[in-house]
Amino acid sequence: QFQNTADKGVVTRIRVLLKLSAELVLCGIAESPGYCIKIVRKLTRAGMKTKNNSETVLSNDALAHHQAVVSFVRSYGYEFMGMKVPKHLESIEREHGVDLNSSEIMMKSLQDRTNDLIVDYYNCLVVRLKKEHEGLCRRRERNKEELLNRGSLSKTSIEYLEKYKEAMENILKIVETMAGLL
């Protein structure tokens, strides 16, 4: 269901579905948070590939889901993952004398598993970032050799370098956002 969803409209619909299901759980209309966790699991696992039984990397399709995952973690991380309450809610917490960090929506073991799922996703993003950086370094080396041998760079070499730079910047933004949330 979540494969090949690079279309922004599809990603937006997934994000809205995830937020709606989370809000239904928070309001008490839906009793089980299982549906939300199932969507998050599919989003984070879609496009993950294990190489050499040790390293898991993300495909380009999986990167399309990052906005939905980031949105969920930002909005519902403290309820569904047991994360620390966001700063903007700390004042409400103090004012009303309520401990928002003790979420009773999910059992602690399920919160820990969901948190582990998001951390695994983050680790895969970091591996992908490293691979993009290696590709960018290789491209720069090729361009340097071409420049030394020919005296100028071809148009395709410049385009490839720009493509690598753009991919690297996009993944770096994703990793920085996830690091800030976790």
Side-chain angles (χ1 to χ4, degrees), residues 9 18-19 48 142:
L18 188 56
K19 280 188 164 239
M48 282 189 179
R142 284 188 213 136

Side-chain angles (χ1 to χ4, degrees), residues 25-61:
V25 170
L26 292 176
C27 293
I29 295 171
E31 292 185 23
S32 172
Y35 186 68
C36 294
I37 304 309
K38 186 177 179 181
I39 294 172
V40 171
R41 186 179 302 117
K42 284 186 178 183
L43 288 175
T44 56
R45 295 289 182 208
M48 282 189 179
K49 298 175 185 173
T50 303
K51 292 185 176 182
N52 304 331
N53 294 329
S54 62
E55 188 176 86
T56 306
V57 294
L58 292 176
S59 68
N60 289 335
D61 290 337

Side-chain angles (χ1 to χ4, degrees), residues 136 139 143 146 153-167:
L136 180 62
R139 176 45 66 187
N143 285 357
E146 184 180 337
L153 289 176
S154 66
K155 186 177 180 180
T156 57
S157 294
I158 294 171
E159 289 173 358
Y160 278 133
L161 183 63
E162 291 301 317
K163 183 182 97 175
Y164 275 108
K165 280 183 182 178
E166 185 178 326

